[in-house]
Amino acid sequence: MEKPWATLGVDLHLEPTGHGLRRGLTDALREAVRSGRLAPGTRLPSSRTLAADLGIARNTVADAYADLVAEGWLTARQGSGTRVAERAVVPPSGAPPQRRERHRPVYDLRPGSPDLASFPRTEWLKAARRAVTAAPNDALGYGDSRGRVELRTALAGYLARSRGVRTDPERILVVAGFAHGLQVLGTVLRARGARTVAVESYRLDVHEKRLTTAGLRTRPLPFDRLGTDPSPLTDEGAVLLTPAHQFPMGVPLHHDRRAAVVDWARHTGGLVLEDDYDGEFRYDRQPVGALQGLDPDHVVYLGTASKSLAPGLRLAWMVLPPGLAEEAAAAKGEIDTCGVLDQLTLAEFLTSGAYDRQVRSARLRYRRRRDALVEALADRAPDAHVTGIAAGLHAVVNLPPGTEQSVVRAAAWQGLAVHGLSFFRHQDAIADPQDALVVGYATPPDHAWTGALDALCRVLP
Amino acid sequence: MEKPWATLGVDLHLEPTGHGLRRGLTDALREAVRSGRLAPGTRLPSSRTLAADLGIARNTVADAYADLVAEGWLTARQGSGTRVAERAVVPPSGAPPQRRERHRPVYDLRPGSPDLASFPRTEWLKAARRAVTAAPNDALGYGDSRGRVELRTALAGYLARSRGVRTDPERILVVAGFAHGLQVLGTVLRARGARTVAVESYRLDVHEKRLTTAGLRTRPLPFDRLGTDPSPLTDEGAVLLTPAHQFPMGVPLHHDRRAAVVDWARHTGGLVLEDDYDGEFRYDRQPVGALQGLDPDHVVYLGTASKSLAPGLRLAWMVLPPGLAEEAAAAKGEIDTCGVLDQLTLAEFLTSGAYDRQVRSARLRYRRRRDALVEALADRAPDAHVTGIAAGLHAVVNLPPGTEQSVVRAAAWQGLAVHGLSFFRHQDAIADPQDALVVGYATPPDHAWTGALDALCRVLP
């Protein structure tokens, strides 16, 4: 007589594995059903028969059958024995969706990222060790939706010292990046009845998307040589600005306009959303203090670790006016969305002075790169010149009229990724059109910087 | 003649600090304006006069004035010198909002949290060191919105091995906790036109809120001694279930009902959302495999590190049917919301076997606690008894009819936080009312467990 198991046409190689015989049998049977080798309706040998066949204890087989009945792979009915469940088990349909591997440029001068190779891994791990070792057990639980108090306290001190921000830890909200913060603010503004947020004529479109997702329209303010002009502001619920260093144009907001924006907010009850993405990076002088310092009741300050450390940390912060802190925390959700271990590590990084050291060292690195860019262009591309203040992680390189698109295309041929200024222009921008590149000189690692600069010079007119 | 500075009534103690004289002067002046000691409109001494007065270089004063003009604290007009800006600078209104410190119970037996004291800090830090040291620079940048590929790959292997989940890394989405995942799914379902999600009669209300926030209604399914009954399912867009271990009732979904749910999904195109929050914790036998294994095209599997490691990590995962993976990744947003360092560390934790070791050790700890609970109740509270399977991090303790509220109140008097079953009951629940406690025996640290169990026994009838 043929072995009952073999009649099923299933190879059953049972080895006493780490999982045990029962587990091994269960897995093998499940796989046989799953793959269709055991067809729906197939009657299985009785546990006694199969046990004898396999030379194992009958209970082991009975247990494996019971497991698979509980999971729904098999059915057991009085009188009809154990069968493969009737529902056809289908494999996941089709091949897994293949994402096209993004074309990797040889050199990347798109703005938005710091030099990731200079992330202070060793210092960060040291801070992590101190922070995680010292953390109370409670810190590992479901947290305060505003973020860990250790981090909010460290930020309150740091922001007052470095950016002139006036706050206390109670009004700080830790978020998973600037865009997440903007999403929270969009929700709050929409809930308060706002319909429109004024934005700058040049800006990042992904930020705009966060506002439109929340149900808000955006209306651009004019941009001229003094920066963004707030005079058309009327009854918008809020205005989103980059006062210290306009992104991407690279100029600070003129002091009269700083004053005008705050006055507008005070008179209309509107909110100023201050995107201070690179406020720590000014090379020619002490950075202009945060606008928030002028009026903490009407300005929301937004800062981030994405430029000073790394975007991968997904850590940013908002400083909120008193009346708004609770609303924003509620909009963020009941549960903190940022991992506490990184929050505690960043708090330790700030209070130990490691953060300041990292910013100083990055400032020196990027300043040198900006100087090299200015020099190289003066030398090799006299028709292109760098505009804006000596600050930040990117510069605008003006081009002769009508050449932007061809330069960007030429760059692509050289394996150089770089954005033209038009990439950042609002569709309803109120600003004289201008041909330019936005060069993120912080993006490449040190070893690729010279090559990237060379490639850039080759494609400039 | 009086010193010009003194006429302003401002004490100016300038010390050559680490920030330099200019920075010190700027900070002191800003603070004087901010605090109101220098009133709006006040004319400042000329830079020449003040420099002589303070015994410092004139340029230093001129630079400090220029900084503060740029920031908006001072104004400089041809002919009228430098003045304090006219806009009154107001301090943030009122005192910071004080959150009431939540009353801290002496003992906490509310379910939902693992024993945080047993989080493997040392092992985690070791894994972090390996993972952060080995990570490519790119990992620190703006990430794939699905989460790091290292983690998705490690999860695909682990979930297949431990829970019978069928997937590949392409269809896994890393999220910041189960609730975040549910929010993403709610958005997707709403965008697909779903109006209603079927839920269980007993459930966590915070999960329901995530669905209602996305614009969905919830409709409870009946619950009886076989678990949740899916037979009333009709055209709901989805059903949210805890098949391996109903939360909080503690029973597995009967195998006929597992089959019926999958059949419903297949025939109607609905989705089954499988909340496998504690699937790794079964004490009497091998856990029932994931429902997802029966039909990866119609079941979304959701797992979390919140029970196996710690909620503070804010790491959970979804395994999505092929057609849904891209939609859900888009709904999650363009940018990953989970810190990459913790993602890489968890991947290392999984592949190195440290995760399995932690789960085994936790399983042993919680099993002992459950056994102690059953024994103590049999001994000291004969009218209360534990129901449900030997699994998970909590147990339902049945009480005599009409006693639940008084037991919960008595517990509060003893400093013992514990939820009655009614806390988890849907407002439209279809289930016989039942008096019971839901005891989260995993919540206390080891040293508090015996005390918590004693306190519980004291308040039971």
Side-chain angles (χ1 to χ4, degrees):
Chain A
M1 186 185 107
E2 212 175 357
K3 295 269 190 189
W5 191 243
T7 62
L8 295 172
V10 174
D11 278 333
L12 200 63
H13 299 291
L14 279 183
E15 296 167 77
T17 68
H19 297 310
L21 264 177
R22 170 181 169 179
R23 175 77 182 255
L25 180 60
T26 311
D27 289 351
L29 283 171
R30 191 194 291 113
E31 196 42 46
V33 175
R34 183 180 274 174
S35 64
R37 278 179 287 139
L38 281 178
T42 308
R43 183 170 178 162
L44 295 181
S46 72
S47 56
R48 180 193 302 267
T49 316
L50 184 56
D53 183 30
L54 296 171
I56 61 181
R58 182 179 169 187
N59 272 354
T60 306
V61 178
D63 288 347
Y65 279 10
D67 287 353
L68 294 167
V69 167
E71 292 176 22
W73 298 102
L74 305 180
T75 57
R77 295 270 180 256
Q78 206 67 31
S80 79
T82 305
R83 291 177 181 276
V84 176
E86 274 300 337
R87 286 155 301 102
V89 175
V90 290
S93 56
Q98 293 298 329
R99 294 206 164 190
R100 269 173 306 175
E101 184 67 22
R102 283 200 200 120
H103 173 69
R104 288 276 204 139
V106 182
Y107 298 113
D108 194 347
L109 288 175
R110 288 170 296 188
S113 179
D115 173 1
L116 300 172
S118 71
F119 178 77
R121 300 189 191 205
T122 310
E123 284 298 317
W124 185 265
L125 285 166
K126 276 186 200 162
R129 176 165 298 275
R130 288 192 300 267
V132 172
T133 306
N137 287 330
D138 278 1
L140 302 167
Y142 290 99
D144 186 326
S145 65
R146 292 171 300 177
R148 283 301 301 175
V149 65
E150 294 89 340
L151 177 55
R152 290 184 285 115
T153 305
L155 282 170
Y158 173 77
L159 294 175
R161 176 162 58 80
S162 78
R163 303 293 299 125
V165 169
R166 298 153 71 189
T167 187
D168 56 70
E170 300 292 309
R171 295 193 291 115
I172 295 183
L173 196 60
V174 178
V175 287
F178 174 84
H180 182 217
L182 204 54
Q183 193 171 17
V184 169
L185 289 171
T187 309
V188 170
L189 287 166
R190 197 66 198 81
R192 285 183 163 202
R195 304 258 160 201
T196 307
V197 171
V199 297
E200 299 186 281
S201 277
Y202 293 98
R203 86 299 175 235
L204 262 185
D205 63 344
V206 292
H207 293 168
E208 206 172 296
K209 269 186 214 151
R210 295 291 171 134
L211 295 172
T212 51
T213 302
L216 294 157
R217 277 191 307 268
T218 63
R219 183 188 300 160
L221 293 170
F223 179 87
D224 58 30
R225 60 186 183 77
L226 296 181
T228 293
D229 177 7
S231 58
L233 281 171
T234 56
D235 60 348
E236 294 87 351
V239 56
L240 174 61
L241 294 171
T242 47
H245 189 220
Q246 206 283 330
F247 187 87
M249 296 304 281
V251 295
L253 189 61
H254 188 272
H255 50 80
D256 288 344
R257 293 182 169 179
R258 283 169 70 94
V261 168
V262 170
D263 283 345
W264 165 81
R266 233 175 252 177
H267 292 135
T268 64
L271 271 184
V272 182
L273 314 183
E274 176 176 27
D275 176 5
D276 196 43
Y277 64 106
D278 69 354
E280 288 131 327
F281 294 93
R282 177 107 191 212
Y283 311 130
D284 54 342
R285 40 158 284 175
Q286 189 188 335
V288 173
L291 195 64
Q292 191 268 2
L294 286 179
D295 193 340
D297 279 354
H298 296 94
V299 181
V300 178
Y301 174 91
L302 294 118
T304 177
S306 292
K307 315 301 172 202
S308 53
L309 288 167
L313 292 177
R314 308 309 315 131
L315 283 175
W317 41 86
M318 301 204 280
V319 178
L320 295 149
L324 204 63
E326 299 268 330
E327 250 171 287
K332 190 187 161 198
E334 303 268 324
I335 298 166
D336 196 356
T337 48
C338 302
V340 291
L341 302 187
D342 280 342
Q343 289 189 59
L344 294 169
T345 303
L346 180 56
E348 170 68 24
F349 218 69
L350 283 161
T351 50
S352 70
Y355 189 88
D356 290 80
R357 283 194 297 279
Q358 172 65 15
V359 167
R360 271 201 300 279
S361 125
R363 214 184 268 140
L364 187 63
R365 166 178 292 110
Y366 300 146
R367 172 184 204 150
R368 283 186 182 140
R369 290 194 186 177
R370 190 178 188 280
D371 289 348
L373 173 69
V374 172
E375 264 177 55
L377 261 53
D379 228 32
R380 300 171 55 187
D383 288 340
H385 58 279
V386 175
T387 65
I389 56 175
L393 283 61
H394 75 277
V396 171
V397 174
N398 276 348
L399 299 174
T403 60
E404 181 182 308
Q405 292 312 316
S406 63
V407 169
V408 170
R409 270 196 307 272
W413 282 107
Q414 297 274 341
L416 171 67
V418 66
H419 282 310
L421 180 58
S422 54
F423 181 83
F424 301 98
R425 195 178 160 92
H426 195 285
Q427 66 275 17
D428 304 322
I430 308 165
D432 292 335
Q434 196 176 329
D435 283 69
L437 296 182
V438 178
V439 175
Y441 48 76
T443 306
D446 272 341
H447 67 83
W449 162 240
T450 317
L453 185 54
D454 272 350
L456 178 67
C457 288
R458 278 198 299 276
V459 300
L460 287 175
Chain B
M1 184 186 108
E2 213 175 356
K3 294 273 191 186
W5 191 244
T7 61
L8 295 172
V10 174
D11 278 333
L12 199 62
H13 299 291
L14 279 184
E15 294 167 75
T17 68
H19 297 309
L21 264 177
R22 172 182 168 179
R23 174 78 183 254
L25 180 59
T26 311
D27 288 351
L29 283 170
R30 190 194 293 111
E31 195 42 46
V33 175
R34 181 179 275 176
S35 63
R37 278 178 289 139
L38 281 177
T42 308
R43 183 171 179 161
L44 295 180
S46 73
S47 56
R48 179 193 301 270
T49 317
L50 184 57
D53 182 29
L54 297 171
I56 61 181
R58 183 179 167 186
N59 272 354
T60 307
V61 178
D63 288 347
Y65 280 9
D67 286 352
L68 294 168
V69 167
E71 292 177 22
W73 300 103
L74 304 180
T75 59
R77 295 274 179 254
Q78 206 67 30
S80 80
T82 305
R83 290 177 182 276
V84 176
E86 276 300 337
R87 286 155 302 104
V89 175
V90 289
S93 57
Q98 293 297 329
R99 294 205 167 191
R100 268 173 307 173
E101 184 67 22
R102 283 198 201 122
H103 174 67
R104 288 276 205 137
V106 182
Y107 297 114
D108 194 347
L109 288 175
R110 289 171 296 188
S113 179
D115 173 1
L116 300 172
S118 71
F119 178 77
R121 299 189 190 204
T122 309
E123 284 298 316
W124 185 264
L125 285 165
K126 276 186 201 162
R129 175 165 298 273
R130 289 192 299 267
V132 172
T133 306
N137 287 330
D138 279 2
L140 302 166
Y142 290 99
D144 186 326
S145 64
R146 293 171 299 176
R148 284 299 301 174
V149 65
E150 294 89 338
L151 178 55
R152 290 183 286 114
T153 306
L155 282 170
Y158 173 76
L159 294 174
R161 176 162 57 80
S162 77
R163 304 292 300 124
V165 169
R166 298 154 71 189
T167 186
D168 55 70
E170 301 293 309
R171 296 193 290 116
I172 295 183
L173 196 59
V174 178
V175 287
F178 173 83
H180 182 219
L182 203 55
Q183 194 171 17
V184 169
L185 289 171
T187 309
V188 170
L189 287 167
R190 196 67 198 79
R192 287 184 161 200
R195 304 257 160 203
T196 307
V197 171
V199 297
E200 299 185 281
S201 276
Y202 294 97
R203 85 301 174 231
L204 262 184
D205 62 344
V206 293
H207 293 168
E208 205 171 297
K209 271 187 212 148
R210 294 291 171 134
L211 295 172
T212 52
T213 301
L216 293 157
R217 276 191 308 268
T218 63
R219 182 188 301 159
L221 293 170
F223 179 86
D224 58 30
R225 60 185 184 77
L226 297 180
T228 293
D229 176 7
S231 59
L233 281 171
T234 57
D235 61 347
E236 295 87 351
V239 56
L240 174 61
L241 293 172
T242 47
H245 189 220
Q246 206 283 331
F247 186 86
M249 296 305 281
V251 295
L253 190 61
H254 188 271
H255 50 79
D256 288 344
R257 293 182 170 180
R258 282 169 70 96
V261 168
V262 169
D263 283 344
W264 165 80
R266 234 176 252 177
H267 291 135
T268 65
L271 273 183
V272 182
L273 315 183
E274 177 176 26
D275 176 4
D276 196 42
Y277 64 106
D278 69 354
E280 289 130 326
F281 294 93
R282 177 106 191 214
Y283 311 130
D284 54 343
R285 39 158 285 174
Q286 188 188 337
V288 172
L291 195 63
Q292 192 268 1
L294 285 180
D295 194 341
D297 279 355
H298 296 94
V299 181
V300 179
Y301 174 91
L302 295 118
T304 177
S306 292
K307 315 301 172 202
S308 52
L309 287 167
L313 293 176
R314 308 307 316 131
L315 283 174
W317 40 87
M318 299 202 282
V319 178
L320 295 149
L324 204 64
E326 298 269 330
E327 251 172 285
K332 190 188 162 197
E334 303 267 322
I335 298 164
D336 195 356
T337 48
C338 302
V340 291
L341 303 187
D342 281 343
Q343 289 188 62
L344 294 170
T345 303
L346 180 56
E348 169 69 23
F349 218 69
L350 282 161
T351 50
S352 70
Y355 190 87
D356 292 79
R357 283 195 296 279
Q358 172 65 14
V359 167
R360 272 202 299 280
S361 125
R363 213 184 270 142
L364 188 63
R365 167 177 291 110
Y366 301 145
R367 171 183 204 151
R368 283 187 182 140
R369 290 194 187 177
R370 190 177 189 281
D371 290 348
L373 173 69
V374 172
E375 263 177 56
L377 261 53
D379 227 34
R380 299 172 54 188
D383 288 340
H385 59 279
V386 174
T387 65
I389 56 174
L393 283 63
H394 75 276
V396 172
V397 174
N398 277 348
L399 299 174
T403 60
E404 180 181 309
Q405 293 311 317
S406 64
V407 169
V408 170
R409 270 196 306 273
W413 282 108
Q414 298 274 340
L416 171 67
V418 66
H419 282 310
L421 179 59
S422 53
F423 181 83
F424 301 97
R425 194 178 160 92
H426 194 286
Q427 65 275 15
D428 305 322
I430 308 165
D432 292 335
Q434 195 175 329
D435 283 69
L437 296 181
V438 179
V439 175
Y441 49 77
T443 306
D446 271 341
H447 67 82
W449 162 240
T450 317
L453 185 54
D454 272 349
L456 177 67
C457 288
R458 276 198 301 275
V459 299
L460 288 175

